[in-house]
Amino acid sequence: MAVAFLNGEFLPLEKARISPMDRGFLFGDGIYEVVPTLATRPVGLRGHLERLDNGLCALGIHNPKSADQWETLIAELLRKNSEELVSHSVGVYIQVSRGTVMQRAHGFPDNIPPTVFAFAFATAAPPLPDRSKVTPFSVITEQDRRWQRCNIKSTSLLGNVLHFQQSKIAGKQEVILYNDKEQITEASACNVFAVVQGHIVTPPLDHQILPGITRDIVIKSLSRDGIAVEERPLTLAELKGADEVWLTSSSKEVAPVTYVDDKPIANGEVGAVWQQAIESFNRYKFDL
Ligand SMILES: Cc1ncc(COP(=O)(O)O)c(C=O)c1O
């Protein structure tokens, strides 16, 4: 039986209930995180907890737990789900909403306790670290229609959901988004990297993209191996003419993309730089 955590207690996931007056439900007024774990070892835990704290701070929601307390909660949740979740790869979803108040009003209510919810779920296995065996992605592109605060990992995900749905309808795995200057922002649930004329490029951190923890680990891992990543604007034309394109996220790690809008990237095969990147990532992912 899947076990969840809700407002201080562990309980069967199917029994977990919150009020429809919760601001997370009414306004999407909350922050979430997904912490990936492999054989119960979290990847990028410090980064995920820092981003959770930054997001809550940006929304003026009190972080109800210290980093140590979050870490204990994650470990406990994994332990309580160890029979249910035999998968090697497990994600821990954490959500903190502003809380419940019996009046619907836009302004923040004073002094209400946040709603804290967490559950664990099996995720797909990470990509095979072999360019001849890994399954590559095929994606579409669209103009980014989301809000101006994409750096906040808000539970208001409708913009991302609508973009993702277009890729699903097209029978693809993701959608890469670009702004009104035709600069790449990110994908609906991943960050984007490209190899352009031999240089690894990823869009810079700003309000247009989520500061991905996997993005950060990829940049730091490659740097440890002496390979630089340029954080600079990347145009749609550069992306389409790139030698390689990758997507990064906690659940997908570093996913190679070989088709964009039904056209091959370079020769349509997974590239040699991806091979280096996934090897660096796997070497250091538990340390960074
Ligand atoms: C919009 C968006 N960008 C990027 C990412 C990748 O972030 P991370 O590497 O921290 O999983 C995600 C992950 O959910 C996301 O939703």
Side-chain angles (χ1 to χ4, degrees):
M1 183 180 43
V3 175
F5 175 89
L6 181 62
N7 293 333
E9 61 167 331
F10 289 96
L11 75 175
L13 177 58
E14 61 189 16
K15 295 244 159 68
R17 300 280 181 274
I18 60 160
S19 165
M21 294 307 284
D22 191 279
R23 290 180 60 104
F25 180 69
L26 292 178
F27 296 110
D29 185 358
I31 293 290
Y32 77 105
E33 268 301 327
V34 180
V35 180
T37 69
L38 295 170
T40 76
R41 283 178 86 189
V43 177
L45 179 63
R46 196 164 30 98
H48 284 282
L49 295 180
E50 268 174 30
R51 187 173 62 186
L52 174 66
D53 193 56
N54 292 341
L56 291 170
C57 188
L59 300 195
I61 298 176
H62 170 67
N63 187 342
K65 293 187 188 298
S66 66
D68 284 350
Q69 288 170 328
W70 282 119
E71 192 170 346
T72 305
L73 168 57
I74 291 166
E76 188 98 322
L77 202 55
L78 290 173
R79 205 173 47 73
K80 288 186 189 295
N81 282 285
S82 58
E83 278 175 32
E84 174 81 11
L85 293 172
V86 288
S87 164
H88 182 73
S89 334
V90 172
V92 176
Y93 179 92
I94 296 172
Q95 174 167 332
V96 181
S97 78
R98 195 177 303 281
T100 301
V101 62
M102 289 304 144
Q103 215 172 22
R104 184 185 176 281
H106 284 52
F108 299 170
D110 293 326
N111 301 324
I112 56 165
T115 300
V116 182
F117 173 56
F119 69 98
F121 61 102
T123 54
L128 288 170
D130 180 337
R131 60 191 286 218
S132 64
K133 299 206 180 96
V134 67
T135 310
F137 276 38
S138 180
V139 306
I140 59 167
T141 61
E142 280 191 334
Q143 181 159 357
D144 198 335
R145 301 283 184 199
R146 302 171 304 157
W147 71 329
Q148 302 292 309
R149 310 282 299 274
C150 290
N151 53 320
I152 298 175
K153 199 166 169 66
S154 147
T155 53
S156 311
L157 280 175
L158 193 54
N160 303 58
V161 166
L162 291 178
H163 277 305
F164 183 81
Q165 185 61 17
Q166 289 309 309
S167 66
K168 188 173 171 190
I169 289 168
K172 312 296 184 209
Q173 287 86 39
E174 249 292 9
V175 49
I176 292 182
L177 306 171
Y178 52 87
N179 64 19
D180 57 6
K181 296 192 185 109
E182 297 214 340
Q183 294 167 334
I184 301 301
T185 55
E186 57 180 344
S188 76
C190 300
N191 293 110
V192 179
F193 286 71
V195 180
V196 179
Q197 294 176 346
H199 298 270
I200 306 173
V201 180
T202 193
L205 293 183
D206 61 16
H207 66 283
Q208 300 177 97
I209 70 170
L210 186 77
I213 306 306
T214 320
R215 173 190 181 280
D216 190 52
I217 298 175
V218 167
I219 293 172
K220 288 183 175 146
S221 305
L222 283 165
S223 161
R224 279 197 180 182
D225 284 339
I227 301 168
V229 175
E230 293 174 16
E231 295 178 72
R232 61 133 171 107
L234 169 70
T235 66
L236 180 60
E238 282 181 309
L239 181 100
K240 291 193 172 185
D243 305 326
E244 299 187 21
V245 174
W246 321 325
L247 298 178
T248 64
S249 80
S250 294
S251 58
K252 298 183 182 68
E253 296 194 337
V254 190
V257 174
T258 50
Y259 279 79
V260 174
D261 292 335
D262 286 323
K263 302 239 168 51
I265 293 298
N267 62 3
E269 282 172 17
V270 179
V273 191
W274 175 83
Q275 184 70 52
Q276 277 184 310
I278 195 72
E279 284 171 15
S280 289
F281 181 80
N282 283 337
R283 222 179 335 272
Y284 306 119
K285 67 184 177 190
F286 291 114
D287 314 335
L288 289 168

